[in-house]
Amino acid sequence: MKLLFFSSFWRLIAAQANEWEALSPTGSIPSARRAHTAVWSDVANGFYIFGGYDDTNYFNDLYLYKREANEWEELSPNGSIPSARCVHTAVWSNVANGFYIFAGYDVTNYFNDLYLYKREANEWEELSPNGS
């Protein structure tokens, strides 16, 4: 069975009435994918997506959706960039002013690594936490 992937983009405009609006953002629109992560940033007034899979390719690209401009931007961060992956987890941190990604999978590897994306520096950092 071949899966279908969509790159359509919608927002809920009236939750009580279950009304949706199709958006047509400009900019560098991410390719259709699944098993990626998305994290909201109040500071950026938008959300980031990282990674994912399209049944052929694994991704390690990073995009920012700017809500007010209704625009996508592909980011090119510096630092220790995570390898391409899907089914990882991500969480935004106000304290770190960025987000963490943990673990994930590609066609041959299960990852057990941790990265921090620093928003202001536009930089990835691989972390090596202590503990058990």
Side-chain angles (χ1 to χ4, degrees):
M1 179 174 101
K2 179 75 172 157
L3 295 175
L4 299 175
F5 297 89
F6 300 95
S7 59
S8 57
F9 197 52
W10 295 78
R11 74 173 175 171
L12 183 64
I13 57 174
Q16 299 295 347
N18 195 26
E19 290 182 47
W20 290 84
E21 175 186 23
L23 300 176
S24 298
T26 60
S28 296
I29 298 171
S31 62
R33 63 191 66 204
R34 65 181 167 116
H36 57 283
T37 51
V39 292
W40 177 263
S41 166
D42 286 333
V43 176
N45 194 17
F47 68 89
Y48 295 85
I49 67 164
F50 173 77
Y53 178 61
D54 71 359
D55 271 356
T56 303
N57 301 297
Y58 290 87
F59 301 105
N60 68 341
D61 50 1
L62 179 62
Y63 289 86
L64 170 61
Y65 174 73
K66 301 172 187 175
R67 186 186 64 81
E68 286 188 21
N70 190 30
E71 175 184 66
W72 283 105
E73 178 183 0
E74 184 173 9
L75 302 175
S76 298
N78 297 309
S80 183
I81 298 170
S83 60
R85 63 190 65 206
C86 65
V87 298
H88 52 285
T89 57
V91 62
W92 181 263
S93 169
N94 287 330
V95 173
N97 193 15
F99 67 92
Y100 296 90
I101 66 162
F102 175 70
Y105 172 78
D106 69 14
V107 72
T108 58
N109 301 295
Y110 286 93
F111 300 107
N112 189 29
D113 49 4
L114 179 65
Y115 288 85
L116 170 62
Y117 173 73
K118 302 173 186 175
R119 186 186 71 84
E120 287 186 0
N122 189 33
E123 178 180 77
W124 284 106
E125 179 184 358
E126 185 172 10
L127 304 175
S128 300
N130 295 319
S132 57

